[in-house]
């Protein structure tokens, strides 16, 4: 499977990692304007979903007037995502607060119930806000989507991280391939704040 994942789009290194193909997401992009009709689904149990009438979160609520560190990953319960990506943010949650970050957000192309189960298993829900991008529209609108059908995952997300201040991307880091974990971890973005 790792060999299949290595065949993903390349990334070119400059001061920060920027994808070889032009993503809609880049430094300066207003995330809310780039995806005006997209809403994410906060991680929750099925019963919480029912009681909230399956409420969704508009991007303006997530990013408006806030400094947010957000990271995206291919999927809940997958290897690098569970063993390295989320733990790096969990371990550094207090350091982000010290740097004035209002919230640390993880978004995955999964439904909010799977994301909730995963976040609970990782014991990370207190430090990180988890959201599902159940249909991948958020990642597609920013062109951070990736077809991992060859690995039996379907359409997913690149592995990436960003600092978003009042809706505008200040820093964006995208891995060369989703099986790598070199530029999208918490330590990298802490050094960019």
């Amino acid at each position: 499977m790792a060999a299949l994942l290595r065949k993903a789009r390349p990334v070119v290194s400059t001061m920060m990692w920027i994808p070889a193909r032009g993503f809609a997401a880049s430094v300066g992009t207003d995330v809310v304007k780039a995806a005006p009709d997209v809403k994410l689904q906060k991680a929750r149990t099925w019963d919480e979903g029912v009681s909230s009438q399956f409420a969704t979160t508009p991007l303006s609520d997530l990013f408006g007037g806030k400094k947010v560190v957000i990271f995206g990953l291919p999927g809940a319960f997958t290897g690098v995502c569970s063993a390295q990506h989320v733990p790096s943010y969990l371990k550094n949650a207090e350091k982000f607060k010290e740097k004035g970050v209002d919230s640390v957000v993880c978004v995955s192309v999964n439904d909010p119930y799977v994301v909730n189960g995963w976040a609970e298993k990782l014991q990370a829900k207190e430090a990180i806000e988890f959201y599902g991008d159940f249909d991948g529209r958020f990642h597609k609108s920013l062109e951070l989507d990736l077809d991992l059908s060859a690995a039996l995952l379907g359409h997913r997300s690149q592995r990436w991280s960003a600092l978003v201040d009042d809706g505008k991307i200040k820093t964006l880091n995208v891995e060369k391939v989703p099986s790598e974990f070199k530029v999208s971890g918490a330590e990298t973005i802490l050094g960019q704040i």
Side-chain angles (χ1 to χ4, degrees):
M1 184 160 122
L4 292 172
L5 295 177
R6 289 193 212 323
K7 293 181 181 177
R9 300 177 195 111
V11 178
V12 178
S13 173
T14 61
M15 276 192 69
M16 70 191 110
W17 290 84
I18 300 174
R21 76 165 187 156
F23 287 151
S26 61
V27 173
T29 297
D30 185 316
V31 176
V32 178
K33 288 181 182 174
D37 299 324
V38 173
K39 297 177 182 177
L40 295 173
Q41 310 83 43
K42 190 155 182 77
R44 58 190 172 219
T45 65
W46 178 261
D47 290 341
E48 290 168 334
V50 170
S51 68
S52 72
Q53 298 181 346
F54 304 102
T56 56
T57 304
L59 297 181
S60 57
D61 289 359
L62 200 60
F63 298 112
K66 299 173 189 168
K67 184 185 281 188
V68 177
V69 167
I70 183 170
F71 63 103
L73 37 81
F77 292 103
T78 56
V80 176
C81 304
S82 298
Q84 294 177 288
H85 210 171
V86 172
S88 78
Y89 286 89
L90 183 58
K91 180 176 75 173
N92 288 288
E94 287 302 314
K95 291 178 184 175
F96 283 116
K97 286 181 187 175
E98 291 167 9
K99 290 201 173 219
V101 172
D102 296 302
S103 58
V104 175
V105 173
C106 174
V107 63
S108 174
V109 181
N110 290 105
D111 66 68
Y113 318 109
V114 166
V115 174
N116 186 67
W118 180 53
E120 287 179 351
K121 180 177 167 101
L122 295 174
Q123 299 177 344
K125 278 186 78 173
E126 297 300 317
I128 300 169
E129 294 180 30
F130 286 82
Y131 287 86
D133 178 19
F134 82 95
D135 59 2
R137 286 182 61 211
F138 175 70
H139 287 94
K140 287 176 194 169
S141 67
L142 298 174
E143 295 180 6
L144 288 168
D145 59 312
L146 181 64
D147 185 352
L148 292 176
S149 295
L152 305 178
L153 293 171
H155 292 275
R156 296 296 179 133
S157 167
Q158 298 275 356
R159 183 176 309 286
W160 61 278
S161 65
L163 172 64
V164 180
D165 194 350
D166 194 24
K168 293 190 176 52
I169 297 175
K170 299 297 182 183
T171 302
L172 176 65
N173 307 294
V174 181
E175 297 291 349
K176 290 181 183 181
V177 294
S179 59
E180 289 185 353
F181 182 67
K182 296 179 180 178
V183 300
S184 61
E187 295 80 4
T188 299
I189 207 154
L190 270 169
Q192 296 169 329
I193 298 174

